[in-house]
Coordinates of all heavy atoms in Angstrom, one line a residue:
M1 N -155.9 61.3 58.6 CA -156.0 60.6 57.3 C -156.8 61.5 56.3 O -157.8 62.1 56.7 CB -156.7 59.3 57.4 CG -156.8 58.6 56.1 SD -157.7 57.0 56.3 CE -156.5 56.1 57.2
A2 N -156.3 61.6 55.1 CA -157.0 62.4 54.1 C -157.3 61.5 52.9 O -156.4 60.8 52.5 CB -156.2 63.6 53.7
V3 N -158.5 61.6 52.4 CA -158.9 60.9 51.2 C -159.3 61.9 50.1 O -160.1 62.8 50.4 CB -160.1 60.0 51.5 CG1 -160.6 59.3 50.2 CG2 -159.8 59.0 52.5
D4 N -158.8 61.8 48.9 CA -159.1 62.7 47.8 C -159.4 61.8 46.6 O -158.6 61.0 46.1 CB -158.0 63.6 47.5 CG -158.2 64.6 46.4 OD1 -159.3 65.1 46.3 OD2 -157.4 64.7 45.5
V5 N -160.6 62.1 46.0 CA -161.0 61.4 44.8 C -160.9 62.4 43.6 O -161.6 63.5 43.7 CB -162.4 60.8 44.9 CG1 -162.7 60.1 43.5 CG2 -162.5 59.8 46.0
G6 N -160.1 62.2 42.7 CA -159.9 63.1 41.6 C -160.4 62.4 40.3 O -161.0 61.4 40.3
T7 N -160.2 63.1 39.2 CA -160.7 62.6 37.9 C -160.0 61.3 37.5 O -160.7 60.4 37.0 CB -160.3 63.6 36.8 OG1 -160.9 64.9 37.1 CG2 -160.8 63.2 35.5
G8 N -158.8 61.1 37.8 CA -158.1 59.9 37.4 C -157.6 58.9 38.5 O -157.2 57.8 38.2
S9 N -157.8 59.3 39.7 CA -157.3 58.5 40.8 C -157.9 58.8 42.1 O -158.5 59.9 42.3 CB -155.8 58.6 40.9 OG -155.4 59.9 41.4
G10 N -157.8 57.8 43.0 CA -158.2 58.0 44.4 C -156.9 57.9 45.2 O -156.0 57.1 45.0
R11 N -156.8 58.9 46.2 CA -155.5 59.0 47.0 C -155.9 59.1 48.4 O -156.8 59.7 48.8 CB -154.8 60.3 46.6 CG -154.5 60.3 45.1 CD -154.1 61.7 44.6 NE -155.1 62.7 44.5 CZ -156.0 62.8 43.5 NH1 -155.9 61.9 42.5 NH2 -156.9 63.6 43.5
V12 N -155.1 58.4 49.2 CA -155.2 58.4 50.6 C -153.8 58.7 51.2 O -152.8 58.1 50.8 CB -155.7 57.0 51.2 CG1 -155.8 57.1 52.7 CG2 -157.1 56.7 50.6
A13 N -153.8 59.6 52.2 CA -152.5 60.0 52.8 C -152.7 60.0 54.4 O -153.8 60.3 54.8 CB -152.1 61.4 52.4
I14 N -151.7 59.7 55.1 CA -151.7 59.8 56.5 C -150.6 60.8 57.0 O -149.6 60.9 56.3 CB -151.5 58.5 57.2 CG1 -150.3 57.7 56.7 CG2 -152.7 57.6 57.1 CD1 -149.9 56.5 57.5
F15 N -150.9 61.6 58.0 CA -150.1 62.6 58.5 C -149.9 62.5 60.0 O -150.7 61.9 60.7 CB -150.7 64.0 58.2 CG -151.0 64.3 56.8 CD1 -152.2 63.8 56.2 CD2 -150.0 64.9 56.0 CE1 -152.4 64.1 54.8 CE2 -150.3 65.2 54.6 CZ -151.4 64.8 54.1
D16 N -148.8 63.0 60.5 CA -148.6 63.1 61.9 C -149.3 64.3 62.5 O -149.9 65.0 61.8 CB -147.1 63.0 62.3 CG -146.3 64.2 62.0 OD1 -147.0 65.3 61.6 OD2 -145.1 64.2 62.2
D17 N -149.3 64.4 63.8 CA -150.0 65.5 64.4 C -149.4 66.9 64.2 O -149.9 67.9 64.6 CB -150.2 65.3 65.9 CG -149.0 65.0 66.7 OD1 -147.9 64.8 66.0 OD2 -149.0 64.9 67.9
H18 N -148.3 67.0 63.5 CA -147.7 68.3 63.1 C -147.9 68.5 61.6 O -147.4 69.5 61.1 CB -146.2 68.3 63.4 CG -145.9 68.1 64.8 ND1 -146.1 69.0 65.8 CD2 -145.4 67.0 65.5 CE1 -145.8 68.6 67.0 NE2 -145.3 67.3 66.8
G19 N -148.7 67.7 60.9 CA -149.0 67.8 59.5 C -147.9 67.3 58.6 O -148.0 67.4 57.4
L20 N -146.9 66.5 59.1 CA -145.9 65.9 58.3 C -146.5 64.6 57.6 O -147.1 63.8 58.2 CB -144.7 65.5 59.1 CG -143.6 64.8 58.4 CD1 -142.9 65.8 57.5 CD2 -142.5 64.3 59.4
L21 N -146.3 64.5 56.3 CA -146.8 63.4 55.5 C -146.0 62.2 55.9 O -144.8 62.1 55.8 CB -146.6 63.7 54.0 CG -147.0 62.5 53.1 CD1 -148.5 62.3 53.2 CD2 -146.6 62.8 51.7
L22 N -146.7 61.1 56.4 CA -146.1 59.9 56.8 C -146.2 58.9 55.6 O -145.3 58.0 55.5 CB -146.8 59.3 58.0 CG -146.8 60.1 59.3 CD1 -147.6 59.4 60.4 CD2 -145.3 60.3 59.7
G23 N -147.2 58.9 54.8 CA -147.3 58.0 53.7 C -148.5 58.3 52.9 O -149.4 59.0 53.3
K24 N -148.5 57.7 51.7 CA -149.7 57.9 50.8 C -149.8 56.7 49.8 O -148.8 56.0 49.6 CB -149.5 59.2 50.0 CG -148.4 59.2 49.0 CD -148.3 60.5 48.3 CE -147.1 60.5 47.4 NZ -147.0 61.8 46.6
S25 N -151.0 56.6 49.3 CA -151.2 55.5 48.3 C -152.1 56.1 47.2 O -153.1 56.8 47.6 CB -151.9 54.3 48.9 OG -152.2 53.3 47.9
I26 N -151.9 55.8 46.0 CA -152.6 56.3 44.9 C -153.1 55.1 44.1 O -152.3 54.3 43.7 CB -151.8 57.3 44.0 CG1 -151.3 58.5 44.8 CG2 -152.6 57.7 42.8 CD1 -150.3 59.3 44.1
Q27 N -154.4 55.1 43.8 CA -155.0 54.1 42.9 C -155.7 54.7 41.7 O -156.5 55.5 41.9 CB -156.0 53.2 43.7 CG -155.4 52.5 44.9 CD -154.4 51.4 44.5 OE1 -154.7 50.6 43.5 NE2 -153.3 51.2 45.1
N28 N -155.3 54.2 40.5 CA -156.0 54.8 39.3 C -157.4 54.3 39.2 O -157.7 53.2 39.5 CB -155.2 54.4 38.1 CG -153.9 55.1 38.0 OD1 -153.7 56.2 38.5 ND2 -152.9 54.5 37.4
I29 N -158.3 55.2 38.7 CA -159.7 54.9 38.5 C -159.9 54.7 37.1 O -159.3 55.4 36.2 CB -160.6 56.2 39.0 CG1 -160.4 56.4 40.5 CG2 -162.0 56.0 38.6 CD1 -161.0 57.7 41.0
I30 N -160.7 53.7 36.7 CA -161.0 53.3 35.3 C -161.9 54.3 34.7 O -163.0 54.6 35.3 CB -161.5 51.9 35.3 CG1 -160.5 50.9 35.8 CG2 -162.0 51.6 33.8 CD1 -161.1 49.5 36.0
T31 N -161.6 54.8 33.6 CA -162.5 55.7 32.8 C -162.8 55.1 31.5 O -161.8 54.7 30.7 CB -161.8 57.1 32.6 OG1 -161.5 57.7 33.9 CG2 -162.8 58.0 31.8
K32 N -164.0 54.8 31.2 CA -164.4 54.3 29.9 C -164.8 55.4 29.0 O -165.6 56.3 29.4 CB -165.6 53.4 30.1 CG -165.3 52.1 30.9 CD -166.5 51.2 31.1 CE -166.1 50.0 32.0 NZ -167.3 49.2 32.3
I33 N -164.2 55.4 27.8 CA -164.5 56.5 26.9 C -165.3 55.9 25.7 O -165.0 54.9 25.1 CB -163.1 57.0 26.3 CG1 -162.3 57.5 27.4 CG2 -163.4 58.1 25.3 CD1 -160.8 57.9 27.1
E34 N -166.5 56.5 25.5 CA -167.4 56.1 24.5 C -167.4 57.2 23.4 O -167.8 58.3 23.6 CB -168.8 56.0 25.0 CG -168.9 54.9 26.1 CD -170.3 54.8 26.7 OE1 -171.3 55.2 26.0 OE2 -170.4 54.3 27.8
P35 N -166.9 56.9 22.2 CA -166.9 57.8 21.1 C -168.3 58.3 20.7 O -169.2 57.5 20.9 CB -166.1 57.1 20.0 CG -166.2 55.7 20.3 CD -166.4 55.6 21.8
P36 N -168.4 59.4 20.1 CA -169.7 59.8 19.6 C -170.3 58.8 18.6 O -169.6 58.3 17.8 CB -169.4 61.2 18.9 CG -168.1 61.6 19.2 CD -167.3 60.3 19.7
K37 N -171.6 58.7 18.7 CA -172.3 57.8 17.7 C -172.6 58.4 16.4 O -172.7 57.8 15.4 CB -173.6 57.2 18.4 CG -173.3 56.3 19.6 CD -174.6 55.8 20.2 CE -174.4 54.9 21.3 NZ -173.8 55.5 22.5
N38 N -172.7 59.7 16.4 CA -172.9 60.5 15.2 C -172.3 61.9 15.4 O -171.8 62.2 16.5 CB -174.4 60.6 14.8 CG -175.2 61.2 16.0 OD1 -175.0 62.3 16.4 ND2 -176.3 60.5 16.4
S39 N -172.4 62.7 14.4 CA -171.8 64.0 14.4 C -172.4 65.0 15.4 O -171.8 66.0 15.8 CB -171.8 64.7 13.0 OG -173.1 64.9 12.6
E40 N -173.6 64.7 15.9 CA -174.3 65.6 16.9 C -173.9 65.2 18.3 O -174.2 66.0 19.2 CB -175.8 65.6 16.7 CG -176.2 66.1 15.3 CD -177.7 66.0 15.1 OE1 -178.4 65.6 16.0 OE2 -178.1 66.3 13.9
D41 N -173.4 64.0 18.5 CA -173.1 63.5 19.9 C -171.7 64.0 20.3 O -170.9 64.4 19.5 CB -173.1 62.0 19.9 CG -174.6 61.4 19.9 OD1 -175.5 62.2 20.1 OD2 -174.7 60.2 19.6
E42 N -171.5 64.0 21.6 CA -170.2 64.3 22.2 C -169.6 63.0 22.7 O -170.3 62.0 23.0 CB -170.3 65.3 23.3 CG -170.8 66.6 22.7 CD -170.9 67.7 23.8 OE1 -170.4 67.5 24.9 OE2 -171.5 68.8 23.6
T43 N -168.3 63.0 22.9 CA -167.6 61.9 23.5 C -168.1 61.8 25.0 O -168.2 62.8 25.7 CB -166.1 62.0 23.5 OG1 -165.7 62.2 22.1 CG2 -165.4 60.9 24.1
M44 N -168.4 60.5 25.5 CA -168.8 60.3 26.8 C -167.7 59.7 27.6 O -167.0 58.8 27.2 CB -170.1 59.4 26.9 CG -171.3 60.0 26.1 SD -172.0 61.4 26.9 CE -172.7 60.6 28.4
Y45 N -167.5 60.2 28.9 CA -166.5 59.6 29.8 C -167.3 59.1 31.0 O -168.0 59.8 31.7 CB -165.5 60.7 30.2 CG -164.8 61.3 29.0 CD1 -165.3 62.3 28.3 CD2 -163.6 60.7 28.7 CE1 -164.6 62.9 27.2 CE2 -162.8 61.3 27.6 CZ -163.4 62.3 26.9 OH -162.7 62.8 25.8
N46 N -167.1 57.8 31.3 CA -167.9 57.2 32.4 C -166.9 56.5 33.4 O -165.9 55.9 33.0 CB -168.8 56.1 31.8 CG -169.9 56.7 31.0 OD1 -170.6 57.5 31.4 ND2 -170.0 56.2 29.7
Q47 N -167.3 56.7 34.6 CA -166.6 56.0 35.7 C -167.5 55.3 36.6 O -168.7 55.8 36.8 CB -165.7 57.0 36.5 CG -164.6 57.7 35.8 CD -163.9 58.7 36.5 OE1 -164.5 59.5 37.3 NE2 -162.6 58.8 36.4
S48 N -167.1 54.3 37.2 CA -168.0 53.5 38.0 C -167.9 53.9 39.5 O -166.7 53.9 40.0 CB -167.6 52.0 37.9 OG -168.1 51.2 39.0
S49 N -169.0 54.2 40.2 CA -168.9 54.5 41.6 C -168.3 53.3 42.4 O -167.6 53.5 43.4 CB -170.3 54.8 42.1 OG -170.8 56.0 41.5
G50 N -168.7 52.1 42.0 CA -168.1 50.9 42.6 C -166.6 50.9 42.5 O -165.9 50.5 43.5
D51 N -166.1 51.2 41.3 CA -164.6 51.2 41.1 C -164.0 52.3 41.9 O -162.9 52.0 42.6 CB -164.3 51.4 39.6 CG -162.8 51.4 39.4 OD1 -162.1 50.4 39.7 OD2 -162.3 52.4 38.8
I52 N -164.6 53.4 42.0 CA -164.0 54.5 42.8 C -164.0 54.1 44.3 O -162.9 54.3 44.9 CB -164.9 55.8 42.6 CG1 -164.7 56.3 41.2 CG2 -164.5 56.9 43.6 CD1 -165.7 57.4 40.8
W53 N -165.1 53.6 44.8 CA -165.1 53.2 46.2 C -164.0 52.1 46.4 O -163.3 52.1 47.4 CB -166.4 52.7 46.6 CG -166.5 52.4 48.1 CD1 -166.6 51.1 48.6 CD2 -166.4 53.3 49.2 NE1 -166.6 51.2 50.0 CE2 -166.5 52.6 50.3 CE3 -166.3 54.7 49.3 CZ2 -166.4 53.1 51.6 CZ3 -166.2 55.3 50.5 CH2 -166.3 54.5 51.7
N54 N -164.0 51.1 45.5 CA -163.0 50.0 45.7 C -161.6 50.6 45.7 O -160.7 50.1 46.5 CB -163.2 49.0 44.5 CG -162.3 47.8 44.7 OD1 -162.2 47.2 45.7 ND2 -161.6 47.4 43.6
K55 N -161.2 51.5 44.8 CA -159.9 52.1 44.8 C -159.6 52.8 46.1 O -158.4 52.8 46.6 CB -159.7 52.9 43.6 CG -159.9 52.2 42.2 CD -158.9 51.0 42.1 CE -159.1 50.1 40.9 NZ -159.1 50.7 39.6
I56 N -160.6 53.5 46.6 CA -160.3 54.2 47.9 C -160.1 53.2 49.0 O -159.2 53.4 49.9 CB -161.5 55.1 48.2 CG1 -161.6 56.3 47.3 CG2 -161.5 55.6 49.7 CD1 -160.4 57.2 47.3
C57 N -160.8 52.1 49.0 CA -160.6 51.1 50.1 C -159.2 50.5 49.9 O -158.5 50.3 50.9 CB -161.7 50.0 49.9 SG -163.3 50.6 50.4
I58 N -158.8 50.2 48.7 CA -157.5 49.6 48.4 C -156.4 50.6 48.9 O -155.4 50.2 49.5 CB -157.3 49.2 46.9 CG1 -158.2 48.1 46.6 CG2 -155.8 48.9 46.7 CD1 -158.3 47.8 45.1
A59 N -156.5 51.9 48.5 CA -155.6 52.9 48.9 C -155.5 53.0 50.4 O -154.3 53.1 51.0 CB -155.9 54.2 48.3
T60 N -156.6 53.0 51.1 CA -156.6 53.1 52.6 C -155.9 51.9 53.2 O -155.0 52.1 54.0 CB -158.1 53.1 53.1 OG1 -158.7 54.3 52.5 CG2 -158.1 53.2 54.6
R61 N -156.3 50.7 52.8 CA -155.6 49.5 53.3 C -154.1 49.5 53.0 O -153.3 49.1 53.9 CB -156.3 48.2 52.8 CG -157.6 47.9 53.4 CD -158.2 46.5 53.0 NE -158.4 46.4 51.6 CZ -159.5 46.6 50.9 NH1 -160.5 47.1 51.6 NH2 -159.6 46.4 49.6
T62 N -153.7 49.9 51.8 CA -152.3 49.9 51.4 C -151.5 50.9 52.3 O -150.4 50.5 52.8 CB -152.2 50.3 49.9 OG1 -152.9 49.3 49.2 CG2 -150.7 50.3 49.5
V63 N -152.0 52.1 52.4 CA -151.2 53.1 53.2 C -151.1 52.7 54.6 O -150.0 52.9 55.3 CB -151.7 54.5 53.0 CG1 -153.0 54.8 53.8 CG2 -150.6 55.6 53.4
L64 N -152.1 52.2 55.2 CA -152.1 51.7 56.6 C -151.2 50.5 56.8 O -150.4 50.5 57.8 CB -153.5 51.4 57.1 CG -154.4 52.6 57.2 CD1 -155.8 52.2 57.7 CD2 -153.9 53.6 58.2
A65 N -151.2 49.6 55.9 CA -150.3 48.4 55.9 C -148.9 48.8 55.8 O -148.0 48.3 56.5 CB -150.7 47.4 54.9
E66 N -148.6 49.7 54.8 CA -147.2 50.0 54.5 C -146.6 50.9 55.7 O -145.3 50.9 55.8 CB -147.1 50.8 53.2 CG -147.3 50.0 52.0 CD -147.3 50.8 50.7 OE1 -147.3 52.0 50.7 OE2 -147.4 50.1 49.6
H67 N -147.4 51.5 56.5 CA -146.8 52.4 57.5 C -147.3 52.0 58.9 O -147.4 52.8 59.8 CB -147.2 53.8 57.2 CG -146.7 54.3 55.9 ND1 -145.4 54.5 55.7 CD2 -147.3 54.4 54.6 CE1 -145.2 54.8 54.4 NE2 -146.3 54.7 53.8
A68 N -147.7 50.7 59.0 CA -148.2 50.2 60.3 C -147.2 50.4 61.5 O -147.6 50.6 62.6 CB -148.6 48.7 60.2
T69 N -145.9 50.3 61.2 CA -144.9 50.4 62.2 C -144.9 51.8 62.8 O -144.4 52.1 63.9 CB -143.5 50.1 61.7 OG1 -143.2 50.9 60.6 CG2 -143.4 48.6 61.3
L70 N -145.4 52.8 62.1 CA -145.5 54.2 62.5 C -146.7 54.5 63.3 O -146.8 55.5 63.9 CB -145.4 55.2 61.3 CG -144.2 55.1 60.5 CD1 -144.3 56.0 59.3 CD2 -142.9 55.5 61.3
L71 N -147.7 53.6 63.2 CA -149.0 53.9 63.8 C -149.3 52.9 65.0 O -149.1 51.7 64.9 CB -150.1 53.7 62.7 CG -150.0 54.6 61.5 CD1 -151.0 54.1 60.5 CD2 -150.2 56.0 61.8
G72 N -149.9 53.5 66.0 CA -150.5 52.7 67.1 C -151.9 52.4 66.8 O -152.5 52.8 65.8
D73 N -152.5 51.6 67.8 CA -153.9 51.2 67.6 C -154.9 52.4 67.4 O -155.9 52.3 66.8 CB -154.4 50.4 68.7 CG -153.7 49.0 68.7 OD1 -153.2 48.6 67.6 OD2 -153.7 48.3 69.7
Y74 N -154.6 53.5 68.0 CA -155.5 54.6 68.0 C -154.9 55.9 67.4 O -155.3 57.0 67.8 CB -156.0 54.9 69.5 CG -156.7 53.7 70.1 CD1 -156.0 52.9 71.0 CD2 -158.0 53.4 69.8 CE1 -156.6 51.8 71.5 CE2 -158.6 52.3 70.3 CZ -157.9 51.5 71.2 OH -158.5 50.4 71.7
D75 N -154.0 55.8 66.5 CA -153.3 57.0 66.0 C -154.0 57.7 64.9 O -153.7 58.8 64.6 CB -151.9 56.6 65.5 CG -150.9 56.5 66.6 OD1 -151.2 56.9 67.7 OD2 -149.8 56.0 66.4
I76 N -155.0 57.1 64.3 CA -155.9 57.8 63.3 C -157.0 58.5 64.1 O -157.9 57.8 64.6 CB -156.5 56.9 62.2 CG1 -155.3 56.1 61.5 CG2 -157.3 57.7 61.3 CD1 -154.4 57.0 60.7
C77 N -156.9 59.8 64.2 CA -157.9 60.5 65.1 C -158.8 61.3 64.3 O -159.8 61.8 64.9 CB -157.1 61.3 66.1 SG -156.1 62.6 65.5
S78 N -158.6 61.5 63.0 CA -159.6 62.2 62.2 C -159.4 61.9 60.7 O -158.4 61.3 60.3 CB -159.4 63.8 62.4 OG -158.2 64.2 61.9
M79 N -160.4 62.2 60.0 CA -160.4 61.8 58.5 C -161.1 62.9 57.7 O -162.1 63.4 58.1 CB -161.1 60.5 58.3 CG -161.1 60.0 56.9 SD -161.9 58.4 56.9 CE -161.8 58.0 55.1
A80 N -160.5 63.3 56.6 CA -161.0 64.2 55.7 C -161.3 63.5 54.4 O -160.5 62.7 54.0 CB -160.1 65.4 55.5
F81 N -162.4 63.8 53.8 CA -162.8 63.2 52.5 C -163.2 64.2 51.5 O -164.1 65.1 51.8 CB -164.0 62.2 52.8 CG -164.1 61.2 51.7 CD1 -163.7 59.9 51.9 CD2 -164.6 61.5 50.4 CE1 -163.8 58.9 50.9 CE2 -164.7 60.5 49.4 CZ -164.4 59.2 49.7
D82 N -162.6 64.3 50.4 CA -162.9 65.2 49.3 C -163.1 64.5 48.0 O -162.2 63.7 47.6 CB -161.7 66.2 49.2 CG -162.0 67.2 48.1 OD1 -163.1 67.9 48.1 OD2 -161.1 67.4 47.2
A83 N -164.2 64.7 47.4 CA -164.5 64.1 46.1 C -165.2 65.0 45.2 O -166.4 64.8 44.8 CB -165.2 62.8 46.3
T84 N -164.6 66.1 44.8 CA -165.3 67.2 44.1 C -165.7 66.8 42.7 O -166.6 67.3 42.1 CB -164.4 68.4 44.0 OG1 -163.2 68.1 43.4 CG2 -164.2 69.0 45.4
C85 N -165.0 65.8 42.1 CA -165.3 65.5 40.7 C -166.1 64.2 40.6 O -166.5 63.8 39.5 CB -164.0 65.3 39.9 SG -163.1 63.8 40.3
S86 N -166.4 63.5 41.6 CA -167.0 62.2 41.6 C -168.5 62.3 41.9 O -169.0 62.5 43.0 CB -166.4 61.3 42.6 OG -165.0 61.1 42.3
L87 N -169.3 62.2 40.8 CA -170.7 62.3 40.9 C -171.3 61.0 40.5 O -170.8 60.3 39.7 CB -171.3 63.4 40.0 CG -170.7 64.8 40.2 CD1 -171.2 65.8 39.1 CD2 -171.1 65.4 41.6
S88 N -172.5 60.7 41.1 CA -173.1 59.4 40.8 C -174.6 59.7 40.4 O -175.3 60.5 41.0 CB -173.2 58.5 42.1 OG -172.0 58.1 42.4
L89 N -174.9 59.1 39.3 CA -176.3 59.1 38.8 C -176.8 57.7 38.9 O -176.3 56.8 38.2 CB -176.4 59.6 37.4 CG -177.8 59.6 36.8 CD1 -178.7 60.6 37.5 CD2 -177.7 60.1 35.3
I90 N -177.8 57.4 39.7 CA -178.3 56.1 39.9 C -179.7 56.0 39.3 O -180.6 56.8 39.5 CB -178.4 55.7 41.4 CG1 -177.0 55.8 42.0 CG2 -179.0 54.4 41.6 CD1 -176.9 55.7 43.5
K91 N -179.8 55.0 38.4 CA -181.1 54.8 37.7 C -181.9 53.7 38.4 O -181.5 52.7 38.8 CB -180.7 54.3 36.3 CG -181.9 54.2 35.4 CD -181.4 53.8 34.0 CE -182.6 53.6 33.1 NZ -182.2 53.1 31.8

């Protein structure tokens, strides 16, 4: 199973032991755009860590449910997680 979090979506894919794609699910991530308040400010783009995690959970459940007939109880033997663009600042 592979999980990838990008700028606009969270994606989960499952593969067989030869690397053949069995299925995938893509869930869009909400991006809030805040325009500049004055001429010195820049446009701000905000995403919620909670929304990102929720979308990854939905994508995981979706791909597993849609391809359950291809999977046995122990067929997921490894997982890769990549989230190069997803940073969290907690106050």
Side-chain angles (χ1 to χ4, degrees):
M1 177 183 293
V3 177
D4 179 45
V5 180
T7 302
S9 65
R11 300 166 289 277
V12 177
I14 53 174
F15 301 87
D16 69 10
D17 53 353
H18 300 289
L20 179 69
L21 178 67
L22 298 177
K24 65 182 177 180
S25 178
I26 300 170
Q27 297 291 318
N28 291 330
I29 295 169
I30 296 169
T31 300
K32 295 180 182 175
I33 302 171
E34 298 177 26
K37 293 181 177 65
N38 58 55
S39 61
E40 296 176 8
D41 288 345
E42 295 182 12
T43 302
M44 299 291 291
Y45 300 87
N46 294 304
Q47 293 177 322
S48 162
S49 296
D51 180 55
I52 292 169
W53 184 252
N54 185 47
K55 298 302 173 60
I56 291 300
C57 292
I58 292 169
T60 301
R61 286 190 298 269
T62 300
V63 75
L64 292 176
E66 288 177 354
H67 302 285
T69 58
L70 300 174
L71 302 171
D73 289 341
Y74 301 100
D75 279 351
I76 302 295
C77 60
S78 65
M79 183 175 178
F81 200 105
D82 178 55
T84 56
C85 73
S86 300
L87 303 173
S88 292
L89 177 62
I90 300 174
K91 182 177 178 184

